[in-house]
Every structure is written in structure tokens, then in C-alpha cells.
Amino acid sequence: MPTYVFDENSFLDFIKKNVKGNIAVVSSDVLDVNVEEIETHLGVKKHFVVKFAISADVFKDVDLDSFDELLNYAVVFVERDKLSEERKKAIR
Amino acid sequence: MPTYVFDENSFLDFIKKNVKGNIAVVSSDVLDVNVEEIETHLGVKKHFVVKFAISADVFKDVDLDSFDELLNYAVVFVERDKLSEERKKAIR
């Protein structure tokens, strides 16, 4: 999945679908942020690489394979005027 | 902030407060996951450390300091029965 940009209403719809009947585990514990060049199918592009710590005692099993099967998202809230012009036009 | 556990309704309330008037930038591009022991004010505890890539072309400024000022969250959706017994009792 690439990086998506949602406005207020479409983000709430997205969240409703994902959380339905489930629990949301949330962390804002950012250990590290870097800018890195990453190869994508559109060529090499700059990315913010953000490292989050999520307390493992939340989960019954502290197991990487089980964790990998879960839906994992990074979410950044930002004012519209801090988006690039190109992405302002591509808000869902 | 430690790791919080929200049910469907309280998570939607949390999201509504954060997204109000803003844009949500979302990535599920997980580069790496590890289990690490991290020192907290409650002692050394195991954490899942998750590294996300967020496309930088979303933002007007590709600048670490500006990025650090934004609200950043990692969100994991999980079934209630995959939580530890202790955390099941502490769902918001």
C-alpha cells in the first residue's frame, strides 16, 4: 500500500471499517524518525521512516508471526496547507 | 504516551478529536518488525518495534523538525481475544 491521504469524513469511514468488532491498539511512542530513499514501483522516492514502540504486554502472544498478520497502520494528522500541491488534489 | 487499548466507540471518539479539520496521512508500509526490551518508567518491558515508511511527497516540506511536530500514531487492529487478560480489563 502506498501512502494515502484522507479528509475528515473519508478517514472516519476507513476507521469504522477497520475497527468494526475489533480493538484498536494505539501508540505514539516514536523512537526514531529518518528521511530515507526507498525503491518503489514508481522509482526511488524519499520517505519518512518512523519507528514506533508498541508495548507487547497488550497481546496474549508476544510472537512476530502473529503480529505480522494484524492490520498495522501509521497515521499522521496534518493541516491541509502542509500537504504538497500534488497531494492536495489527491485527497480521498 | 504508553500503549492504549480502545474499543470501537472510544477509538472513534479519539479519532474524531484528532482529525477534526485536519487531514489524515495513512501508511501500512511496514519495513520491519522486531521484539525489543525497552526501558520504561515501569522497568524494562518487551515492545514490538515497528518501522513504517511514509511517502515524503505527501508533505510540502520534507523536513524532520516539521515532521516531529505532527501527531504520529501507530494503530494495530486486533480481535479482543488476542489481548492479554490484563489488558482486556483496561480497555477504554
Short mmCIF file of all heavy atoms in Angstrom, two decimals, chain B residues 21-89:
data_model
loop_
_atom_site.label_atom_id
_atom_site.label_comp_id
_atom_site.label_asym_id
_atom_site.label_seq_id
_atom_site.Cartn_x
_atom_site.Cartn_y
_atom_site.Cartn_z
N GLY B 21 -10.96 18.86 11.29
CA GLY B 21 -10.41 19.96 10.49
C GLY B 21 -9.07 19.65 9.86
O GLY B 21 -8.51 20.49 9.15
N ASN B 22 -8.55 18.46 10.12
CA ASN B 22 -7.23 18.08 9.58
C ASN B 22 -7.35 16.98 8.53
O ASN B 22 -8.42 16.48 8.24
CB ASN B 22 -6.30 17.59 10.69
CG ASN B 22 -5.79 18.72 11.55
OD1 ASN B 22 -5.53 19.81 11.05
ND2 ASN B 22 -5.67 18.48 12.84
N ILE B 23 -6.19 16.62 8.03
CA ILE B 23 -6.06 15.56 7.04
C ILE B 23 -5.32 14.40 7.74
O ILE B 23 -4.45 14.64 8.56
CB ILE B 23 -5.22 16.08 5.85
CG1 ILE B 23 -5.93 17.26 5.17
CG2 ILE B 23 -4.87 14.99 4.88
CD1 ILE B 23 -7.25 16.93 4.53
N ALA B 24 -5.72 13.17 7.41
CA ALA B 24 -5.02 12.00 7.96
C ALA B 24 -4.17 11.36 6.86
O ALA B 24 -4.69 10.98 5.81
CB ALA B 24 -6.02 10.99 8.50
N VAL B 25 -2.89 11.26 7.12
CA VAL B 25 -1.96 10.59 6.21
C VAL B 25 -1.75 9.18 6.76
O VAL B 25 -1.41 9.03 7.94
CB VAL B 25 -0.62 11.37 6.15
CG1 VAL B 25 0.40 10.63 5.31
CG2 VAL B 25 -0.85 12.79 5.63
N VAL B 26 -1.97 8.16 5.93
CA VAL B 26 -2.01 6.78 6.42
C VAL B 26 -1.06 5.91 5.60
O VAL B 26 -1.09 5.93 4.36
CB VAL B 26 -3.44 6.21 6.30
CG1 VAL B 26 -3.47 4.75 6.76
CG2 VAL B 26 -4.41 7.04 7.12
N SER B 27 -0.24 5.14 6.29
CA SER B 27 0.63 4.16 5.61
C SER B 27 0.54 2.80 6.29
O SER B 27 0.53 2.72 7.51
CB SER B 27 2.08 4.65 5.62
OG SER B 27 2.93 3.60 5.17
N SER B 28 0.47 1.75 5.48
CA SER B 28 0.60 0.39 6.05
C SER B 28 1.88 -0.26 5.54
O SER B 28 2.01 -1.48 5.53
CB SER B 28 -0.60 -0.47 5.70
OG SER B 28 -0.64 -0.69 4.31
N ASP B 29 2.82 0.59 5.11
CA ASP B 29 4.08 0.11 4.55
C ASP B 29 5.07 -0.19 5.69
O ASP B 29 5.86 0.67 6.08
CB ASP B 29 4.61 1.20 3.61
CG ASP B 29 5.79 0.75 2.79
OD1 ASP B 29 6.24 -0.39 2.98
OD2 ASP B 29 6.27 1.55 1.97
N VAL B 30 4.97 -1.41 6.21
CA VAL B 30 5.83 -1.83 7.32
C VAL B 30 7.14 -2.37 6.76
O VAL B 30 7.13 -3.35 6.00
CB VAL B 30 5.13 -2.90 8.19
CG1 VAL B 30 6.08 -3.44 9.25
CG2 VAL B 30 3.89 -2.31 8.84
N LEU B 31 8.26 -1.74 7.11
CA LEU B 31 9.56 -2.18 6.60
C LEU B 31 10.15 -3.28 7.46
O LEU B 31 10.89 -4.12 6.97
CB LEU B 31 10.55 -1.00 6.58
CG LEU B 31 10.16 0.23 5.75
CD1 LEU B 31 11.22 1.30 5.90
CD2 LEU B 31 9.97 -0.15 4.29
N ASP B 32 9.79 -3.26 8.74
CA ASP B 32 10.47 -4.15 9.67
C ASP B 32 9.71 -4.21 11.00
O ASP B 32 9.15 -3.19 11.42
CB ASP B 32 11.88 -3.58 9.91
CG ASP B 32 12.79 -4.55 10.61
OD1 ASP B 32 12.73 -5.76 10.32
OD2 ASP B 32 13.56 -4.11 11.49
N VAL B 33 9.69 -5.39 11.61
CA VAL B 33 9.13 -5.53 12.98
C VAL B 33 10.08 -6.35 13.81
O VAL B 33 10.60 -7.37 13.33
CB VAL B 33 7.76 -6.26 12.98
CG1 VAL B 33 7.14 -6.22 14.39
CG2 VAL B 33 6.78 -5.67 11.99
N ASN B 34 10.33 -5.91 15.03
CA ASN B 34 11.18 -6.66 15.95
C ASN B 34 10.58 -6.65 17.35
O ASN B 34 9.78 -5.76 17.66
CB ASN B 34 12.55 -5.99 16.07
CG ASN B 34 13.48 -6.44 14.98
OD1 ASN B 34 13.74 -7.64 14.85
ND2 ASN B 34 13.94 -5.50 14.18
N VAL B 35 11.01 -7.59 18.16
CA VAL B 35 10.68 -7.51 19.59
C VAL B 35 11.93 -7.02 20.31
O VAL B 35 13.02 -7.58 20.12
CB VAL B 35 10.24 -8.89 20.14
CG1 VAL B 35 9.96 -8.79 21.64
CG2 VAL B 35 8.99 -9.38 19.42
N GLU B 36 11.79 -5.93 21.06
CA GLU B 36 12.94 -5.38 21.79
C GLU B 36 12.57 -5.09 23.24
O GLU B 36 11.43 -4.74 23.53
CB GLU B 36 13.40 -4.05 21.14
CG GLU B 36 13.99 -4.25 19.76
CD GLU B 36 14.43 -2.93 19.10
OE1 GLU B 36 14.64 -1.92 19.81
OE2 GLU B 36 14.54 -2.92 17.87
N GLU B 37 13.57 -5.23 24.12
CA GLU B 37 13.39 -4.85 25.52
C GLU B 37 13.68 -3.36 25.62
O GLU B 37 14.76 -2.91 25.23
CB GLU B 37 14.42 -5.58 26.40
CG GLU B 37 14.46 -7.09 26.23
CD GLU B 37 13.61 -7.79 27.29
OE1 GLU B 37 13.01 -7.09 28.12
OE2 GLU B 37 13.56 -9.04 27.26
N ILE B 38 12.73 -2.59 26.13
CA ILE B 38 12.90 -1.14 26.21
C ILE B 38 12.67 -0.69 27.66
O ILE B 38 11.74 -1.14 28.31
CB ILE B 38 11.93 -0.41 25.25
CG1 ILE B 38 12.30 -0.77 23.79
CG2 ILE B 38 11.97 1.09 25.45
CD1 ILE B 38 11.40 -0.16 22.75
N GLU B 39 13.54 0.20 28.11
CA GLU B 39 13.44 0.74 29.47
C GLU B 39 12.27 1.73 29.54
O GLU B 39 12.19 2.65 28.72
CB GLU B 39 14.75 1.47 29.81
CG GLU B 39 14.78 2.19 31.12
CD GLU B 39 15.64 1.46 32.16
OE1 GLU B 39 16.68 0.89 31.76
OE2 GLU B 39 15.24 1.48 33.34
N THR B 40 11.35 1.51 30.46
CA THR B 40 10.24 2.44 30.67
C THR B 40 10.25 2.86 32.14
O THR B 40 11.04 2.34 32.92
CB THR B 40 8.87 1.77 30.37
OG1 THR B 40 8.57 0.85 31.42
CG2 THR B 40 8.89 1.02 29.03
N HIS B 41 9.33 3.76 32.52
CA HIS B 41 9.29 4.15 33.94
C HIS B 41 8.73 3.01 34.80
O HIS B 41 8.77 3.09 36.03
CB HIS B 41 8.48 5.44 34.12
CG HIS B 41 7.05 5.30 33.77
ND1 HIS B 41 6.59 5.25 32.47
CD2 HIS B 41 5.95 5.20 34.55
CE1 HIS B 41 5.27 5.11 32.47
NE2 HIS B 41 4.86 5.08 33.71
N LEU B 42 8.24 1.95 34.16
CA LEU B 42 7.79 0.77 34.92
C LEU B 42 8.81 -0.37 34.84
O LEU B 42 8.50 -1.52 35.14
CB LEU B 42 6.45 0.27 34.36
CG LEU B 42 5.26 1.24 34.49
CD1 LEU B 42 4.06 0.74 33.71
CD2 LEU B 42 4.89 1.43 35.97
N GLY B 43 10.04 -0.04 34.40
CA GLY B 43 11.07 -1.08 34.27
C GLY B 43 11.27 -1.46 32.82
O GLY B 43 10.69 -0.85 31.92
N VAL B 44 12.09 -2.48 32.60
CA VAL B 44 12.38 -2.93 31.23
C VAL B 44 11.23 -3.82 30.75
O VAL B 44 10.86 -4.78 31.43
CB VAL B 44 13.72 -3.70 31.19
CG1 VAL B 44 13.94 -4.29 29.80
CG2 VAL B 44 14.87 -2.78 31.57
N LYS B 45 10.64 -3.45 29.60
CA LYS B 45 9.50 -4.23 29.10
C LYS B 45 9.67 -4.53 27.62
O LYS B 45 10.25 -3.73 26.88
CB LYS B 45 8.19 -3.46 29.33
CG LYS B 45 7.94 -3.14 30.80
CD LYS B 45 6.58 -2.53 31.02
CE LYS B 45 5.60 -3.59 31.47
NZ LYS B 45 4.22 -3.09 31.60
N LYS B 46 9.12 -5.68 27.21
CA LYS B 46 9.17 -6.06 25.79
C LYS B 46 8.24 -5.17 24.97
O LYS B 46 7.12 -4.88 25.39
CB LYS B 46 8.73 -7.52 25.61
CG LYS B 46 9.83 -8.50 25.89
CD LYS B 46 9.40 -9.90 25.49
CE LYS B 46 10.49 -10.89 25.86
NZ LYS B 46 10.07 -12.27 25.73
N HIS B 47 8.72 -4.77 23.80
CA HIS B 47 7.90 -3.99 22.86
C HIS B 47 8.04 -4.57 21.45
O HIS B 47 9.10 -5.06 21.09
CB HIS B 47 8.37 -2.52 22.83
CG HIS B 47 8.04 -1.74 24.06
ND1 HIS B 47 8.67 -1.94 25.25
CD2 HIS B 47 7.13 -0.76 24.27
CE1 HIS B 47 8.15 -1.11 26.16
NE2 HIS B 47 7.22 -0.38 25.59
N PHE B 48 6.97 -4.46 20.70
CA PHE B 48 7.08 -4.63 19.26
C PHE B 48 7.59 -3.29 18.71
O PHE B 48 6.99 -2.25 19.00
CB PHE B 48 5.73 -4.96 18.61
CG PHE B 48 5.25 -6.35 18.91
CD1 PHE B 48 4.24 -6.58 19.82
CD2 PHE B 48 5.83 -7.44 18.27
CE1 PHE B 48 3.80 -7.88 20.09
CE2 PHE B 48 5.40 -8.74 18.53
CZ PHE B 48 4.39 -8.95 19.44
N VAL B 49 8.68 -3.32 17.98
CA VAL B 49 9.20 -2.10 17.36
C VAL B 49 8.92 -2.20 15.87
O VAL B 49 9.39 -3.12 15.19
CB VAL B 49 10.70 -1.91 17.66
CG1 VAL B 49 11.25 -0.71 16.90
CG2 VAL B 49 10.91 -1.72 19.16
N VAL B 50 8.08 -1.29 15.39
CA VAL B 50 7.57 -1.37 14.01
C VAL B 50 8.07 -0.14 13.25
O VAL B 50 7.91 0.99 13.69
CB VAL B 50 6.02 -1.39 13.99
CG1 VAL B 50 5.52 -1.70 12.58
CG2 VAL B 50 5.48 -2.40 14.99
N LYS B 51 8.68 -0.42 12.09
CA LYS B 51 9.25 0.65 11.26
C LYS B 51 8.34 0.86 10.05
O LYS B 51 8.15 -0.06 9.23
CB LYS B 51 10.62 0.17 10.78
CG LYS B 51 11.71 1.16 10.82
CD LYS B 51 13.04 0.43 10.67
CE LYS B 51 13.99 1.15 9.77
NZ LYS B 51 15.24 0.39 9.59
N PHE B 52 7.74 2.03 9.96
CA PHE B 52 6.85 2.37 8.84
C PHE B 52 7.54 3.34 7.89
O PHE B 52 8.26 4.25 8.33
CB PHE B 52 5.61 3.10 9.36
CG PHE B 52 4.61 2.23 10.06
CD1 PHE B 52 4.60 2.14 11.44
CD2 PHE B 52 3.65 1.54 9.35
CE1 PHE B 52 3.67 1.36 12.10
CE2 PHE B 52 2.71 0.76 10.00
CZ PHE B 52 2.72 0.68 11.38
N ALA B 53 7.24 3.19 6.59
CA ALA B 53 7.67 4.18 5.58
C ALA B 53 6.46 5.01 5.16
O ALA B 53 5.41 4.46 4.83
CB ALA B 53 8.27 3.48 4.38
N ILE B 54 6.61 6.33 5.22
CA ILE B 54 5.55 7.26 4.83
C ILE B 54 6.10 8.12 3.70
O ILE B 54 7.12 8.80 3.89
CB ILE B 54 5.15 8.14 6.04
CG1 ILE B 54 4.60 7.25 7.16
CG2 ILE B 54 4.12 9.20 5.63
CD1 ILE B 54 4.44 7.97 8.48
N SER B 55 5.44 8.05 2.56
CA SER B 55 5.96 8.75 1.38
C SER B 55 6.10 10.25 1.67
O SER B 55 5.15 10.91 2.09
CB SER B 55 5.01 8.52 0.21
OG SER B 55 5.53 9.13 -0.93
N ALA B 56 7.28 10.80 1.42
CA ALA B 56 7.53 12.19 1.79
C ALA B 56 6.90 13.17 0.81
O ALA B 56 6.71 14.35 1.16
CB ALA B 56 9.04 12.43 1.89
N ASP B 57 6.52 12.69 -0.39
CA ASP B 57 5.94 13.61 -1.36
C ASP B 57 4.53 14.07 -0.97
O ASP B 57 3.94 14.92 -1.62
CB ASP B 57 5.95 13.02 -2.78
CG ASP B 57 5.02 11.83 -2.95
OD1 ASP B 57 4.29 11.49 -1.99
OD2 ASP B 57 5.03 11.24 -4.04
N VAL B 58 4.02 13.50 0.11
CA VAL B 58 2.73 13.95 0.67
C VAL B 58 2.86 15.37 1.24
O VAL B 58 1.92 16.15 1.21
CB VAL B 58 2.30 12.97 1.78
CG1 VAL B 58 1.16 13.53 2.61
CG2 VAL B 58 1.92 11.62 1.19
N PHE B 59 4.05 15.67 1.75
CA PHE B 59 4.22 16.90 2.52
C PHE B 59 4.88 18.01 1.70
O PHE B 59 5.72 17.75 0.83
CB PHE B 59 5.09 16.62 3.76
CG PHE B 59 4.50 15.56 4.64
CD1 PHE B 59 4.90 14.24 4.53
CD2 PHE B 59 3.52 15.88 5.56
CE1 PHE B 59 4.34 13.24 5.33
CE2 PHE B 59 2.95 14.90 6.37
CZ PHE B 59 3.37 13.58 6.25
N LYS B 60 4.48 19.25 2.02
CA LYS B 60 5.07 20.42 1.37
C LYS B 60 6.56 20.50 1.72
O LYS B 60 7.39 20.71 0.84
CB LYS B 60 4.33 21.68 1.86
CG LYS B 60 4.53 22.88 1.02
CD LYS B 60 3.47 23.95 1.30
CE LYS B 60 3.57 24.46 2.74
NZ LYS B 60 2.55 25.51 2.99
N ASP B 61 6.87 20.33 3.01
CA ASP B 61 8.27 20.38 3.44
C ASP B 61 8.74 18.99 3.84
O ASP B 61 8.11 18.35 4.68
CB ASP B 61 8.43 21.28 4.66
CG ASP B 61 7.90 22.68 4.40
OD1 ASP B 61 8.27 23.27 3.37
OD2 ASP B 61 7.12 23.17 5.23
N VAL B 62 9.83 18.54 3.24
CA VAL B 62 10.42 17.26 3.67
C VAL B 62 11.49 17.60 4.70
O VAL B 62 12.67 17.76 4.39
CB VAL B 62 11.01 16.49 2.47
CG1 VAL B 62 11.56 15.14 2.93
CG2 VAL B 62 9.95 16.28 1.41
N ASP B 63 11.01 17.75 5.93
CA ASP B 63 11.85 18.32 6.97
C ASP B 63 11.58 17.57 8.28
O ASP B 63 10.42 17.48 8.72
CB ASP B 63 11.50 19.81 7.10
CG ASP B 63 12.24 20.47 8.23
OD1 ASP B 63 13.47 20.60 8.12
OD2 ASP B 63 11.59 20.82 9.22
N LEU B 64 12.63 17.02 8.88
CA LEU B 64 12.45 16.21 10.09
C LEU B 64 11.84 16.99 11.24
O LEU B 64 10.99 16.48 11.95
CB LEU B 64 13.78 15.61 10.53
CG LEU B 64 14.20 14.31 9.84
CD1 LEU B 64 15.55 13.86 10.36
CD2 LEU B 64 13.16 13.21 10.07
N ASP B 65 12.26 18.26 11.42
CA ASP B 65 11.74 19.04 12.54
C ASP B 65 10.24 19.30 12.38
O ASP B 65 9.48 19.18 13.35
CB ASP B 65 12.49 20.36 12.69
CG ASP B 65 13.91 20.14 13.18
OD1 ASP B 65 14.15 19.08 13.81
OD2 ASP B 65 14.78 20.99 12.92
N SER B 66 9.81 19.65 11.16
CA SER B 66 8.36 19.87 10.93
C SER B 66 7.59 18.58 11.16
O SER B 66 6.51 18.57 11.74
CB SER B 66 8.08 20.34 9.50
OG SER B 66 8.95 21.35 9.12
N PHE B 67 8.18 17.46 10.69
CA PHE B 67 7.50 16.17 10.83
C PHE B 67 7.34 15.81 12.32
O PHE B 67 6.30 15.31 12.74
CB PHE B 67 8.28 15.08 10.09
CG PHE B 67 7.54 13.77 10.01
CD1 PHE B 67 6.64 13.53 8.98
CD2 PHE B 67 7.72 12.79 10.97
CE1 PHE B 67 5.93 12.33 8.91
CE2 PHE B 67 7.02 11.59 10.91
CZ PHE B 67 6.13 11.36 9.88
N ASP B 68 8.37 16.08 13.10
CA ASP B 68 8.33 15.75 14.54
C ASP B 68 7.23 16.48 15.28
O ASP B 68 6.76 16.02 16.32
CB ASP B 68 9.69 16.08 15.19
CG ASP B 68 10.71 14.99 14.96
OD1 ASP B 68 10.31 13.86 14.63
OD2 ASP B 68 11.91 15.28 15.12
N GLU B 69 6.82 17.63 14.75
CA GLU B 69 5.77 18.42 15.43
C GLU B 69 4.37 17.85 15.18
O GLU B 69 3.42 18.25 15.85
CB GLU B 69 5.81 19.87 14.95
CG GLU B 69 6.99 20.63 15.51
CD GLU B 69 7.19 21.97 14.80
OE1 GLU B 69 6.26 22.40 14.09
OE2 GLU B 69 8.26 22.55 14.97
N LEU B 70 4.24 16.97 14.20
CA LEU B 70 2.92 16.43 13.86
C LEU B 70 2.52 15.31 14.82
O LEU B 70 3.38 14.68 15.43
CB LEU B 70 2.94 15.89 12.42
CG LEU B 70 3.31 16.90 11.34
CD1 LEU B 70 3.47 16.19 10.00
CD2 LEU B 70 2.29 18.01 11.25
N LEU B 71 1.21 15.07 14.94
CA LEU B 71 0.72 13.95 15.73
C LEU B 71 0.90 12.66 14.94
O LEU B 71 0.35 12.52 13.85
CB LEU B 71 -0.77 14.12 16.03
CG LEU B 71 -1.13 15.02 17.19
CD1 LEU B 71 -2.65 15.15 17.27
CD2 LEU B 71 -0.59 14.46 18.50
N ASN B 72 1.67 11.76 15.49
CA ASN B 72 2.04 10.50 14.85
C ASN B 72 1.55 9.32 15.68
O ASN B 72 1.91 9.21 16.85
CB ASN B 72 3.56 10.39 14.92
CG ASN B 72 4.22 10.80 13.67
OD1 ASN B 72 4.23 10.04 12.73
ND2 ASN B 72 4.75 12.02 13.68
N TYR B 73 0.80 8.42 15.09
CA TYR B 73 0.35 7.25 15.84
C TYR B 73 0.59 5.97 15.06
O TYR B 73 0.43 5.95 13.82
CB TYR B 73 -1.15 7.32 16.12
CG TYR B 73 -1.56 8.45 17.03
CD1 TYR B 73 -2.22 9.55 16.53
CD2 TYR B 73 -1.29 8.40 18.39
CE1 TYR B 73 -2.61 10.60 17.36
CE2 TYR B 73 -1.66 9.44 19.22
CZ TYR B 73 -2.33 10.53 18.71
OH TYR B 73 -2.69 11.55 19.53
N ALA B 74 0.92 4.92 15.77
CA ALA B 74 0.83 3.57 15.20
C ALA B 74 -0.47 2.96 15.72
O ALA B 74 -0.78 3.07 16.90
CB ALA B 74 2.01 2.72 15.63
N VAL B 75 -1.24 2.37 14.81
CA VAL B 75 -2.52 1.76 15.18
C VAL B 75 -2.51 0.30 14.71
O VAL B 75 -2.19 0.02 13.56
CB VAL B 75 -3.71 2.49 14.52
CG1 VAL B 75 -5.03 1.83 14.92
CG2 VAL B 75 -3.71 3.96 14.90
N VAL B 76 -2.86 -0.60 15.62
CA VAL B 76 -2.95 -2.02 15.29
C VAL B 76 -4.37 -2.48 15.62
O VAL B 76 -4.84 -2.26 16.74
CB VAL B 76 -1.94 -2.86 16.11
CG1 VAL B 76 -1.98 -4.32 15.70
CG2 VAL B 76 -0.54 -2.29 15.98
N PHE B 77 -5.05 -3.07 14.64
CA PHE B 77 -6.39 -3.59 14.89
C PHE B 77 -6.28 -5.07 15.24
O PHE B 77 -5.59 -5.83 14.55
CB PHE B 77 -7.28 -3.40 13.66
CG PHE B 77 -7.54 -1.95 13.37
CD1 PHE B 77 -6.93 -1.31 12.31
CD2 PHE B 77 -8.38 -1.22 14.19
CE1 PHE B 77 -7.16 0.04 12.06
CE2 PHE B 77 -8.62 0.14 13.95
CZ PHE B 77 -8.01 0.76 12.88
N VAL B 78 -6.97 -5.45 16.31
CA VAL B 78 -6.80 -6.81 16.82
C VAL B 78 -8.13 -7.31 17.42
O VAL B 78 -8.92 -6.50 17.93
CB VAL B 78 -5.63 -6.83 17.85
CG1 VAL B 78 -5.88 -5.89 19.01
CG2 VAL B 78 -5.33 -8.22 18.37
N GLU B 79 -8.35 -8.60 17.31
CA GLU B 79 -9.55 -9.16 17.95
C GLU B 79 -9.37 -9.15 19.47
O GLU B 79 -8.26 -9.37 19.96
CB GLU B 79 -9.75 -10.61 17.48
CG GLU B 79 -10.16 -10.70 16.01
CD GLU B 79 -9.92 -12.10 15.46
OE1 GLU B 79 -10.19 -13.08 16.18
OE2 GLU B 79 -9.44 -12.19 14.32
N ARG B 80 -10.47 -8.94 20.16
CA ARG B 80 -10.43 -8.85 21.62
C ARG B 80 -9.76 -10.07 22.26
O ARG B 80 -9.00 -9.94 23.22
CB ARG B 80 -11.86 -8.70 22.15
CG ARG B 80 -11.98 -8.54 23.66
CD ARG B 80 -13.44 -8.45 24.07
NE ARG B 80 -13.99 -7.17 23.65
CZ ARG B 80 -14.21 -6.14 24.48
NH1 ARG B 80 -13.93 -6.26 25.76
NH2 ARG B 80 -14.70 -5.01 24.03
N ASP B 81 -9.99 -11.27 21.68
CA ASP B 81 -9.44 -12.48 22.33
C ASP B 81 -7.94 -12.66 22.09
O ASP B 81 -7.36 -13.62 22.57
CB ASP B 81 -10.25 -13.73 21.95
CG ASP B 81 -10.05 -14.13 20.50
OD1 ASP B 81 -9.23 -13.48 19.81
OD2 ASP B 81 -10.71 -15.09 20.05
N LYS B 82 -7.33 -11.73 21.33
CA LYS B 82 -5.86 -11.78 21.19
C LYS B 82 -5.16 -10.85 22.16
O LYS B 82 -3.93 -10.74 22.16
CB LYS B 82 -5.47 -11.45 19.75
CG LYS B 82 -5.90 -12.57 18.80
CD LYS B 82 -5.26 -12.47 17.46
CE LYS B 82 -5.62 -13.69 16.62
NZ LYS B 82 -5.54 -13.41 15.19
N LEU B 83 -5.94 -10.14 22.99
CA LEU B 83 -5.33 -9.29 24.02
C LEU B 83 -4.97 -10.13 25.24
O LEU B 83 -5.58 -11.17 25.50
CB LEU B 83 -6.32 -8.20 24.46
CG LEU B 83 -6.75 -7.17 23.40
CD1 LEU B 83 -7.78 -6.22 24.01
CD2 LEU B 83 -5.56 -6.39 22.86
N SER B 84 -3.99 -9.65 26.01
CA SER B 84 -3.66 -10.30 27.28
C SER B 84 -4.82 -10.07 28.25
O SER B 84 -5.56 -9.09 28.13
CB SER B 84 -2.36 -9.72 27.83
OG SER B 84 -2.51 -8.33 28.06
N GLU B 85 -4.95 -10.96 29.23
CA GLU B 85 -6.05 -10.85 30.21
C GLU B 85 -6.01 -9.51 30.93
O GLU B 85 -7.03 -8.87 31.14
CB GLU B 85 -5.97 -11.99 31.23
CG GLU B 85 -6.35 -13.36 30.67
CD GLU B 85 -7.72 -13.36 29.95
OE1 GLU B 85 -8.68 -12.80 30.51
OE2 GLU B 85 -7.80 -13.91 28.83
N GLU B 86 -4.79 -9.07 31.27
CA GLU B 86 -4.61 -7.81 31.99
C GLU B 86 -5.15 -6.64 31.17
O GLU B 86 -5.80 -5.75 31.69
CB GLU B 86 -3.11 -7.65 32.23
CG GLU B 86 -2.72 -6.55 33.17
CD GLU B 86 -1.21 -6.29 33.07
OE1 GLU B 86 -0.45 -7.26 32.92
OE2 GLU B 86 -0.83 -5.10 33.10
N ARG B 87 -4.84 -6.63 29.87
CA ARG B 87 -5.24 -5.50 29.03
C ARG B 87 -6.72 -5.55 28.65
O ARG B 87 -7.31 -4.53 28.34
CB ARG B 87 -4.35 -5.43 27.78
CG ARG B 87 -2.98 -4.88 28.07
CD ARG B 87 -3.07 -3.48 28.73
NE ARG B 87 -1.75 -2.89 28.81
CZ ARG B 87 -1.38 -1.82 28.11
NH1 ARG B 87 -2.23 -1.20 27.33
NH2 ARG B 87 -0.16 -1.36 28.23
N LYS B 88 -7.30 -6.76 28.63
CA LYS B 88 -8.74 -6.85 28.38
C LYS B 88 -9.51 -6.04 29.42
O LYS B 88 -10.53 -5.44 29.13
CB LYS B 88 -9.21 -8.31 28.45
CG LYS B 88 -9.08 -9.06 27.14
CD LYS B 88 -9.68 -10.45 27.29
CE LYS B 88 -9.15 -11.35 26.20
NZ LYS B 88 -9.41 -12.76 26.46
N LYS B 89 -8.97 -6.05 30.65
CA LYS B 89 -9.65 -5.32 31.75
C LYS B 89 -9.43 -3.82 31.64
O LYS B 89 -10.09 -3.05 32.33
CB LYS B 89 -9.12 -5.82 33.10
CG LYS B 89 -9.52 -7.25 33.41
CD LYS B 89 -8.87 -7.71 34.73
CE LYS B 89 -8.74 -9.22 34.78
NZ LYS B 89 -7.52 -9.65 35.49
#
